[in-house]
Amino acid sequence: MERLAVHLIPVLRDNYIFLLVDHQERKAVVVDPAQAQPVLEQVESLGVELTAIWNTHHCWDHVGGNQALKERYPQLKIYASQADGERKRIPGQTEYLKHGDTFSFAGEEVQVFFVPGHTLGHIAYWLPQSSHLFAGDTLFGAGCGRLHEGTPAQMQASLNQLRSLPDETLVWCAHEYTLSNLRFALTVDPNNPDLKERLKEVEVLRAQGKPSVPLRLGEEKRTNPFLRYDQPALQKTTGAFDPVNVFAKVRSLKDRW
Ligand code: FE
């Protein structure tokens, strides 16, 4: 058995909570607990100790379970960005992360990326050794988060950082939006054969009730219009050339779709 395992817990309408388990130490951390109860059930059934929460950003469907988990496990460390810490909007936050910070879990290095755009305090967690990326609401299957607080330039720069990671990276995003995103993607990148193929595959997966997450970053690079801001097909659709402008137009088309 691998030392590190990732468990996906579907909650609410389309959110995913991720429980990372270190099988050697019998310890676990949870990414973006929208709710506490499903996490407690999973932790108890696995017989592990919950030691930390890693929050990607402050939205209620990512931090909703923080307080109740802290009550159950008073020693819990709660990681989130320094930027959200300054805004005092992460319940129970104890650790304040900046871009480039590193720490460890399950004998692996965890690297922090500052990825503003969806919100101004959003971070992502990357485990290069096992290729896991916890992207929150920055990168979705064939999509990206809405610009609730940030600008197109901020979000495009954030996505550009994530796009620079290796193709084999497994992207754990916080919502199951992939199928609908793929249908939109075909309206802006209609002649992309990889996109047509992926839509068929995800239709089958979802019809079977299976998650489309984790995503594979290499496939996102080929099919996600929000990562294809320098591709001729997207430049043609948007009539723009500069990556930020291409991205901004695709985002506004999606907002009105
Ligand atoms: Fe969300």
Side-chain angles (χ1 to χ4, degrees):
M1 189 197 278
E2 303 251 347
R3 178 167 174 184
L4 174 68
V6 181
H7 297 255
L8 174 150
I9 309 173
V11 294
L12 305 174
R13 204 171 78 151
D14 49 37
N15 275 78
Y16 290 133
I17 298 173
F18 305 113
L19 188 72
L20 284 68
V21 175
D22 174 352
H23 284 290
Q24 192 171 308
E25 304 260 335
R26 315 274 325 144
K27 288 183 174 162
V29 304
V30 64
V31 180
D32 285 348
Q35 298 178 316
Q37 196 53 36
V39 177
L40 291 171
E41 283 166 17
Q42 182 83 258
V43 163
E44 276 152 29
S45 84
L46 291 165
V48 293
E49 181 199 353
L50 189 68
T51 59
I53 294 172
W54 300 353
N55 285 133
T56 61
H57 67 293
H58 74 285
C59 292
W60 67 273
D61 62 323
H62 299 254
V63 304
N66 279 24
Q67 222 53 284
L69 290 172
K70 183 92 179 172
E71 278 161 30
R72 173 69 181 75
Y73 295 95
Q75 305 305 317
L76 207 60
K77 287 188 176 180
I78 302 184
Y79 292 75
S81 70
Q82 171 87 39
D84 276 339
E86 284 162 7
R87 293 172 173 84
K88 302 195 188 320
R89 56 187 188 177
I90 303 288
Q93 183 172 0
T94 63
E95 315 299 312
Y96 298 81
L97 300 171
K98 298 185 302 298
H99 186 80
D101 281 352
T102 60
F103 57 97
S104 67
F105 179 72
E108 291 196 33
E109 184 179 74
V110 182
Q111 293 185 19
V112 177
F113 285 82
F114 186 49
V115 285
H118 175 65
T119 69
L120 290 176
H122 203 302
I123 52 175
Y125 299 85
W126 184 42
L127 284 70
Q129 193 182 320
S130 53
S131 295
H132 296 297
L133 174 71
F134 297 91
D137 286 358
T138 298
L139 179 61
F140 292 135
C144 76
R146 283 176 183 271
L147 305 184
H148 285 316
E149 297 180 351
T151 63
Q154 282 174 321
M155 188 59 138
Q156 190 269 337
S158 294
L159 291 169
N160 200 46
Q161 287 185 57
L162 300 184
R163 196 180 76 162
S164 73
L165 298 177
D167 282 0
E168 63 270 22
T169 303
L170 296 170
V171 183
W172 301 86
C173 62
H175 291 272
E176 181 60 65
Y177 293 154
T178 311
L179 187 54
S180 149
N181 284 344
L182 285 166
R183 290 180 178 137
F184 165 77
L186 271 172
T187 69
V188 292
D189 194 6
N191 300 315
N192 181 338
D194 294 324
L195 191 47
K196 292 177 193 171
E197 192 54 39
R198 189 177 180 195
L199 175 60
K200 283 188 219 153
E201 289 168 12
V202 174
E203 277 173 344
V204 172
L205 265 183
R206 297 302 296 144
Q208 297 169 344
K210 292 180 185 161
S212 66
V213 175
L215 318 164
R216 278 148 193 82
L217 188 58
E219 187 167 47
E220 293 304 319
K221 293 178 193 179
R222 293 193 301 277
T223 58
N224 187 327
F226 297 97
L227 295 183
R228 292 169 56 75
Y229 35 74
D230 45 11
Q231 294 299 308
L234 278 297
Q235 291 170 341
K236 183 164 176 254
T237 296
T238 57
F241 183 75
D242 174 78
V244 174
N245 293 334
V246 173
F247 171 80
K249 289 215 170 158
V250 176
R251 187 61 259 176
S252 78
L253 288 168
K254 176 68 165 62
D255 290 342
R256 286 178 275 126
W257 183 63

